[in-house]
Amino acid sequence: MRIDPHSYTDDRHAHVRSLDWEARVDFATRTLDAVATLHLDAPAAGPLDLDTRGLAVDRVTDDRGAAVPFVLHPAEAILGSRLALTLPEGTRAVTVAYRTAADASALQWLDPAQTAGGAQPYLFSQCQAIHARSVVPLQDTPQRRVTFTAKLTVPAALRGLMAAAFDGRDERGDVAVERWHMPQPIAPYLFAFAVGDLASRELGARSRVWAEPAVVDAAAWEFAGVDAMLAAGEALFGPYAWDRFDILVMPPSFPYGGMENPRLTFVTPTLLAGDRSQVRVISHELAHAWSGNLVTNAHAGHFWLNEGWTRYAELRMVEVLEGADTAALVSAICRKDLDETVARFIAEGHGGLTRLRTHLEGVDPDEAFSVVPYDKGELFLRTLEQAVGRARFDVFARSYLDTFRFGAITTEAFLEFTERALPGVLARVDAVRWVDGEGLPDGAPRARSARLDAVAAMGDALPPADARLSTTEWNLWLERLPRPQPTDYCAALDARFGFTSSGNMEVKVAWLRLALASGYDPVLPEVARVLGAVGRMKYLVPLYSALLARPETRALASELFARHAPGYHPIARAVVRGRLDRG
Ligand code: BES
Ligand code: ZN
């Protein structure tokens, strides 16, 4: 039987327990020439189904060198191609020799011009949710964790990095072979690597930051507070289980704000605001070391257990590191986005996506992605916290993480555990309404703080020229401003506060959305520039949506997409194209 709507993994088959992976990175053909040896939990015989997407499989052999018969089935939308092996009696391991496709969905191959240095090419992976299969044939479900060893052959001028423990590098003429191992079992979506012109700076005893040489010093400054974050994370959730917490600053086309790859979090360079105002993304990715990487959603239908817990932890860390007032501002920004997303989903007939427990059979997780699992999930956990008190909730959180450590978790298992640990609380907060109901329950908690009140009190009036707001406050104020605004109001606002040239992308994009919704056309060149310079979906999708929302700028949206799509990550390209197709 299938155990995950997004995987061919069958629970009657052997479990893949570990992986030995060797790949040669070929920038000329944009392919990986690879060999993967999959070790099974016990000697097996008969069928073993693996997930693949776009892989060209040369041969499959068993641990005695005998050929393993296989069928690579035609690709299905979303899932990819089932690689059906028939294992000879007593098979302990299978070795698959294959090449990846030039358009592998997990990989982005960048020309030198798309990097900060401009001289060397760059390659990186992004496997969540279901893209690992385009790089390695695997049981690509969080319910099959693997340990691994890896060997990458890269051009000698470049450096490979992997979300794993580094074992060494040997140069052989114009190539280098780099080795890693991952001793802790990980969900396949956490398999990650990058190759490029990379340098590093030490941040603390357990952390360093990697980036292209041109930005590495800025990155070291921006993320200097990482030790304090680790301390805050450990105080909340217990010892850090992954030895190191390194950070890799990606090229601008990275489609997410951050990705919690174990030992090596990947982040967008838009975090380098020069004022440390975006470091909560690092707190968020660090929190995944517990909620997500240690206790992992069993499949995408339970994604809220990854992201809701992590948003909750992120806000708790912001509270410790930046104060309760800032945490309240961040909550209010998140709440605004959540309310808008819920309203849009319901208006578009996608009310099902406003539940915490979702039914994603036949749905691409990249298309279903939204802030709902993050912020509705966080509000549900906050509701539980308020119902039992913080002290009891913190004990509960620790015991939840201990119980499901290195395991996969469903909403059902979460509810059962919660009922046992905190008897009666689920009924008291009407948990069924939270988990399976659409939209937000009445009385969902709201953050309160003096600074929040002060931002609210500003109303819609043009703020005085000497208004001193933090970037988080500006962000919230701009998000809440009704739209459209008169164009002369927009002009006055920008003249006074220079939002169009803000170094903070959150503020800039909040402003550009307001300006576009108000028909304030002087921002169009900057919108066009941002859409060509940044690939983070959190910015692309709202900006394209704002262009599509007005008849006057619809053609510009298509024109800019046609121009810039080749530089977008395959996932971002598909998501933005979907948005344009819906009109
Ligand atoms: N794990 C996510 C990113 C992700 C989700 C990748 C689903 C692929 C599929 C990561 O932890 C995340 O949530 N990133 C956020 C940042 C955050 C502060 C909310 C982002 O990218 O904006
Ligand atoms: Zn996350």
Side-chain angles (χ1 to χ4, degrees):
M1 214 182 70
R2 302 262 186 89
I3 56 174
D4 178 333
H6 299 114
S7 171
Y8 289 110
T9 302
D10 189 315
D11 63 1
R12 293 165 299 189
H13 300 175
H15 293 207
V16 174
R17 274 292 158 76
S18 71
L19 160 73
D20 296 314
W21 189 62
E22 290 183 27
R24 193 175 53 83
V25 176
D26 186 349
F27 280 99
T29 59
R30 299 195 153 186
T31 57
L32 303 177
D33 199 354
V35 178
T37 296
L38 313 181
H39 300 273
L40 306 178
D41 57 339
L48 175 66
D49 287 346
L50 301 174
D51 293 298
T52 74
R53 183 184 292 125
L55 302 185
V57 177
D58 285 341
R59 60 183 188 283
V60 184
T61 49
D62 71 9
D63 47 294
R64 295 145 295 192
V68 172
F70 68 89
V71 179
L72 186 57
H73 288 271
E76 280 183 51
I78 305 171
L79 268 84
S81 303
R82 177 162 63 103
L83 176 59
L85 310 182
T86 304
L87 307 179
E89 201 65 47
T91 301
R92 292 164 185 277
V94 290
T95 297
V96 184
Y98 65 98
R99 280 175 89 80
T100 58
D103 63 352
S105 60
L107 300 181
Q108 189 174 17
W109 301 82
L110 299 175
D111 291 327
Q114 292 172 279
T115 66
Q120 295 288 352
Y122 197 107
L123 164 67
F124 69 88
S125 69
Q126 166 55 48
C127 288
Q128 197 180 15
I130 53 167
H131 300 288
R133 65 195 63 179
S134 73
V135 175
V136 199
L138 267 179
Q139 294 174 316
D140 189 7
T141 168
Q143 293 169 68
R144 293 290 180 267
R145 285 176 180 266
V146 289
T147 57
F148 65 83
T149 68
K151 227 187 244 185
L152 270 185
T153 302
V154 303
L158 303 183
R159 166 93 212 198
L161 288 179
M162 210 155 177
F166 180 58
D167 290 326
R169 168 180 168 113
D170 304 300
E171 298 205 2
R172 299 181 191 153
D174 57 0
V175 297
V177 178
E178 305 198 86
R179 291 168 281 113
W180 297 267
H181 73 283
M182 174 51 93
Q184 292 94 346
I186 59 155
Y189 74 80
L190 294 171
F191 191 77
F193 61 93
V195 181
D197 180 12
L198 294 164
S200 70
R201 296 285 182 271
E202 299 300 312
L203 298 176
R206 291 183 272 181
S207 307
R208 66 175 64 95
V209 63
W210 291 89
E212 286 194 72
V215 296
V216 72
D217 286 314
W221 185 86
E222 203 84 30
F223 304 141
V226 69
D227 266 348
M229 288 180 196
L230 272 157
E234 291 192 311
L236 189 58
F237 283 157
Y240 181 74
W242 305 89
D243 307 321
R244 293 196 58 88
F245 181 70
D246 294 334
I247 299 169
L248 171 61
V249 179
M250 307 301 286
S253 66
F254 188 60
Y256 292 99
M259 177 65 213
E260 66 272 25
N261 297 313
R263 293 170 188 249
L264 184 64
T265 277
F266 289 14
V267 298
T268 168
T270 63
L271 300 193
L272 306 180
D275 59 6
R276 298 184 178 150
S277 60
Q278 304 301 303
V279 293
R280 71 183 176 88
V281 176
I282 306 285
S283 299
H284 177 98
E285 305 315 331
L286 172 60
H288 275 304
W290 292 270
S291 49
N293 298 4
L294 213 47
V295 178
T296 309
N297 57 204
H299 60 70
H302 306 287
F303 187 52
W304 81 273
L305 285 164
N306 272 25
E307 298 299 346
W309 269 108
T310 301
R311 176 76 86 198
Y312 173 82
E314 170 195 336
L315 288 168
R316 289 287 301 269
M317 286 196 226
V318 171
E319 194 182 311
V320 172
L321 300 168
E322 300 177 59
D325 253 349
T326 302
L329 290 166
V330 173
S331 298
I333 293 171
C334 294
R335 180 60 177 271
K336 183 83 181 34
D337 197 1
L338 176 62
D339 288 342
E340 281 172 15
T341 303
V342 165
R344 181 167 42 79
F345 272 150
I346 288 174
E348 289 173 356
H350 294 303
L353 293 178
T354 69
R355 301 176 182 186
L356 289 180
R357 176 160 45 194
T358 52
H359 303 281
L360 298 180
E361 291 73 17
V363 179
D364 182 339
D366 290 336
E367 297 290 336
F369 181 85
S370 82
V371 299
V372 171
Y374 290 74
D375 294 302
K376 186 179 177 184
E378 188 273 331
L379 290 173
F380 176 42
L381 295 170
R382 187 72 61 178
T383 301
L384 292 174
E385 183 208 296
Q386 291 177 356
V388 301
R390 181 166 279 190
R392 269 184 85 198
F393 187 82
D394 285 355
V395 173
F396 161 77
R398 290 269 196 137
S399 126
Y400 165 70
L401 293 169
D402 279 348
T403 305
F404 296 101
R405 221 178 135 76
F406 291 111
I409 179 91
T410 60
T411 305
E412 301 77 79
F414 169 81
L415 293 174
E416 238 168 73
F417 177 82
T418 306
E419 185 55 33
R420 246 180 300 124
L422 302 170
V425 73
L426 294 177
R428 239 187 313 144
V429 306
D430 197 357
V432 175
R433 168 79 182 85
W434 275 100
V435 166
D436 294 320
E438 297 190 357
L440 272 190
D442 296 330
R446 254 182 211 288
R448 288 187 208 301
S449 84
R451 278 170 70 194
L452 207 46
D453 293 342
V455 173
M458 289 168 64
D460 314 348
L462 186 68
D466 61 354
R468 288 284 165 272
L469 274 69
S470 68
T471 50
T472 312
E473 289 164 325
W474 277 126
N475 189 3
L476 177 63
W477 183 76
L478 285 167
E479 294 285 358
R480 283 184 172 176
L481 212 53
R483 49 215 62 196
Q485 289 290 334
T487 51
D488 53 352
Y489 177 88
C490 292
L493 204 52
D494 203 25
R496 216 165 248 198
F497 302 108
F499 294 134
T500 301
S501 51
S502 172
N504 184 295
M505 280 300 286
E506 297 287 316
V507 170
K508 179 186 297 222
V509 172
W511 154 248
L512 294 176
R513 287 175 59 211
L514 168 73
L516 288 174
S518 305
Y520 180 63
D521 291 342
V523 297
L524 290 176
E526 182 59 12
V527 172
R529 197 196 63 78
V530 169
L531 292 176
V534 175
R536 184 176 177 187
M537 287 191 282
K538 183 181 181 187
Y539 304 139
L540 294 184
V541 172
L543 289 177
Y544 275 109
S545 299
L547 288 173
L548 288 170
R550 276 180 64 239
E552 298 85 339
T553 47
R554 293 180 62 86
L556 180 61
S558 312
E559 203 181 298
L560 289 171
F561 182 69
R563 182 160 357 128
H564 298 308
Y568 293 158
H569 188 278
I571 298 172
R573 203 183 300 142
V575 167
V576 174
R577 182 176 293 125
R579 186 67 200 78
L580 289 167
D581 289 348
R582 283 200 307 279

